[in-house]
Amino acid sequence: MAHSETYAVIGGPEKRLLEPYISVGIIAFLRRWRRSVARRKALADLTIDQLRDIGHPDADRPRFEIDARLAAKLMSMR
């Protein structure tokens, strides 16, 4: 019986001590997530020239490399 009383006294305050840290972590995560979503939306609206003006690399956009001989051959087939 004494063991369960001791456990209840120790277990209660420990849980209350962790709750503020957990809620602060959740709030910080949600703020970072909101900022990243807003940043992605703002960058998606910019043109390639505007992205170059602000110094943002356009590495995430698809890029195709076509050999000059292939381009010439395709143009001649046209």
Side-chain angles (χ1 to χ4, degrees), residues 3-54:
H3 177 69
S4 64
E5 290 175 10
T6 305
Y7 180 76
V9 171
I10 292 174
E14 287 179 357
K15 184 178 179 185
R16 278 186 246 129
L17 287 175
L18 292 177
E19 287 176 0
Y21 294 115
I22 292 171
S23 61
V24 167
I26 291 171
I27 291 170
F29 171 76
L30 290 175
R31 284 183 181 162
R32 278 194 313 253
W33 177 73
R34 271 191 357 203
R35 277 191 225 124
S36 68
V37 168
R39 188 177 301 122
R40 273 186 270 138
K41 284 182 181 178
L43 288 175
D45 293 338
L46 296 177
T47 64
I48 294 174
D49 294 328
Q50 290 171 332
L51 287 172
R52 282 191 207 124
D53 288 343
I54 64 171

